[in-house]
Amino acid sequence: RALLPMVDEDTPLSVLAAAPRLPARKVDDDTPLSVLALGSTAKNGTVAKKGIDAVVAAPPKKPGAKASAAGKKRPRRESPTSSSSSYSSDSDSDDRGLLPARSRKAVSKSEKLKMLKKRATEDMLWEEDAPYKKKDRSNKENLVASLLCRWWYCDEYINNDWPPQEEEYYQAELRRQKLRKVTIQEWEWLPEEDEQGRRKVYELSEFRGLFRNSSGDLIDLRPKENACPCYNNFMKKDNATLCRMLISAYKNQLKDLLENCRYRTDKLAKDLKASITKVKHMLQEAEKAPK
């Protein structure tokens, strides 16, 4: 029995063309894997050699066999493997072949509704007038939520300059908490604590009064009295005061948008103007309400 020559990337094509072909049984989709692993059995009862000897061309068909074979159409078989692969590639397949048509339709519809509901909830997460907020929050809580999104535009915080910008205020707070401020450039070269036992921290350039230590802890040294723009302090104010603060924040935000934005601002400007009108009506109702 002739063996195929050793081939590699440099083998000429003429050598491959002249290689002897060994007869083997025809394989198709229904051939068991055990036959492919062990090799095909020849007519004389011997087992063909594994590897490249097992994968050879099928013997030529006899004349007339083509016509008889064409008349027979093999029934289509659906396997769980093919159906599961179609489910992974197409979200609308829903295990075709494994479930009846009615069950597939029900599963597909429920899954789609669930995905649409989840997507709608995520889209409404950052919208001010989202329905779930109206359901869960009172009018005062909605005012506070809108004010917390733009408190730095309020006239009260613009005029009073919160947080403080004076370096002396933060140096006193650092000494009180046994901390010392260092720059980022000298951070790696300075010890964790100095001779007085003060730990090193660096200030966040984006947020005045916020510091971090070597452990990554956030240290807030901003004043936390009634002027702090937080939920608890805002909830202590009456609705009329909140409306005035929110109107001033909307107006300053609109002014900043029209003067400094480099992109189209038509839609956002329209929304801000509508919000100003809405809060003005709420202010009138709050002023008329008995105290």
Side-chain angles (χ1 to χ4, degrees):
R1 174 178 176 175
L3 297 177
L4 289 178
M6 184 66 67
V7 296
D8 55 14
E9 295 180 354
D10 299 328
T11 304
L13 295 178
S14 58
V15 176
L16 297 177
R21 295 189 175 185
L22 300 178
R25 296 176 60 185
K26 182 180 179 181
V27 296
D28 53 16
D29 295 340
D30 298 329
T31 304
L33 294 179
S34 58
V35 175
L36 298 178
L38 298 176
S40 59
T41 305
K43 291 183 179 180
N44 56 2
T46 60
V47 179
K49 185 180 179 181
K50 293 183 181 179
I52 193 172
D53 292 346
V55 186
V56 293
K61 296 181 179 180
K62 298 180 180 180
K66 182 177 181 181
S68 61
K72 296 181 181 180
K73 186 175 181 181
R74 295 180 60 189
R76 182 179 178 183
R77 299 180 60 183
E78 295 184 359
S79 61
T81 306
S82 61
S83 61
S84 60
S85 62
S86 63
Y87 176 82
S88 61
S89 61
D90 187 2
S91 60
D92 296 335
S93 61
D94 294 320
D95 292 337
R96 296 173 186 262
L98 296 178
L99 299 175
R102 183 178 301 176
S103 178
R104 289 200 310 268
K105 184 177 181 181
V107 172
S108 176
K109 185 177 180 180
S110 61
E111 291 295 331
K112 288 182 179 179
L113 290 176
K114 187 183 296 183
M115 293 177 62
L116 290 175
K117 184 177 180 180
K118 180 180 179 182
R119 184 178 300 175
T121 304
E122 293 176 352
D123 293 341
M124 293 186 302
L125 184 60
W126 300 107
E127 295 180 4
E128 291 186 14
D129 298 329
Y132 80 98
K133 291 187 176 180
K134 292 183 178 180
K135 180 179 178 181
D136 299 337
R137 293 177 176 173
S138 62
N139 292 336
K140 186 173 185 179
E141 289 175 335
N142 284 326
L143 288 173
V144 172
S146 299
L147 189 57
L148 287 173
C149 295
R150 51 185 58 83
W151 61 265
W152 52 92
Y153 283 117
C154 293
D155 291 337
E156 178 179 343
Y157 293 101
I158 294 177
N159 298 332
N160 296 333
D161 199 15
W162 193 96
Q165 301 298 319
E166 296 80 7
E167 183 65 22
E168 293 77 10
Y169 170 82
Y170 297 106
Q171 289 296 334
E173 290 294 322
L174 289 171
R175 288 192 298 268
R176 187 174 64 87
Q177 300 191 26
K178 293 186 178 181
L179 301 173
R180 75 184 194 280
K181 176 182 175 181
V182 301
T183 61
I184 296 296
Q185 291 77 9
E186 60 183 0
W187 178 268
E188 297 293 339
W189 312 104
L190 296 178
E192 178 66 23
E193 297 183 1
D194 60 1
E195 60 278 1
Q196 301 179 9
R198 300 178 301 174
R199 294 187 61 184
K200 62 180 180 180
V201 294
Y202 66 91
E203 187 175 11
L204 304 183
S205 58
E206 300 86 356
F207 302 98
R208 183 63 166 161
L210 295 180
F211 300 82
R212 286 196 184 276
N213 56 19
S214 56
S215 301
D217 301 327
L218 182 64
I219 303 173
D220 188 359
L221 298 183
R222 298 174 298 182
K224 300 178 179 58
E225 59 271 10
N226 294 333
C228 178
C230 62
Y231 175 84
N232 293 334
N233 289 339
F234 284 164
M235 288 298 295
K236 297 177 183 178
K237 303 179 182 297
D238 57 88
N239 287 6
T241 303
L242 292 174
C243 289
R244 296 188 191 95
M245 295 175 63
L246 186 55
I247 290 173
S248 66
Y250 277 133
K251 289 182 177 179
N252 293 330
Q253 183 181 359
L254 179 61
K255 180 181 178 181
D256 187 19
L257 177 70
L258 298 178
E259 292 179 356
N260 301 320
C261 186
R262 298 177 296 175
Y263 307 98
R264 296 193 60 179
T265 60
D266 302 340
K267 186 179 184 306
L268 182 55
K270 182 179 179 181
D271 294 341
L272 290 175
K273 292 178 181 178
S275 299
I276 293 174
T277 303
K278 178 180 178 181
V279 179
K280 283 183 177 179
H281 290 303
M282 297 177 65
L283 176 60
Q284 294 176 359
E285 295 178 358
E287 291 176 345
K288 293 179 182 179
K291 297 183 180 180

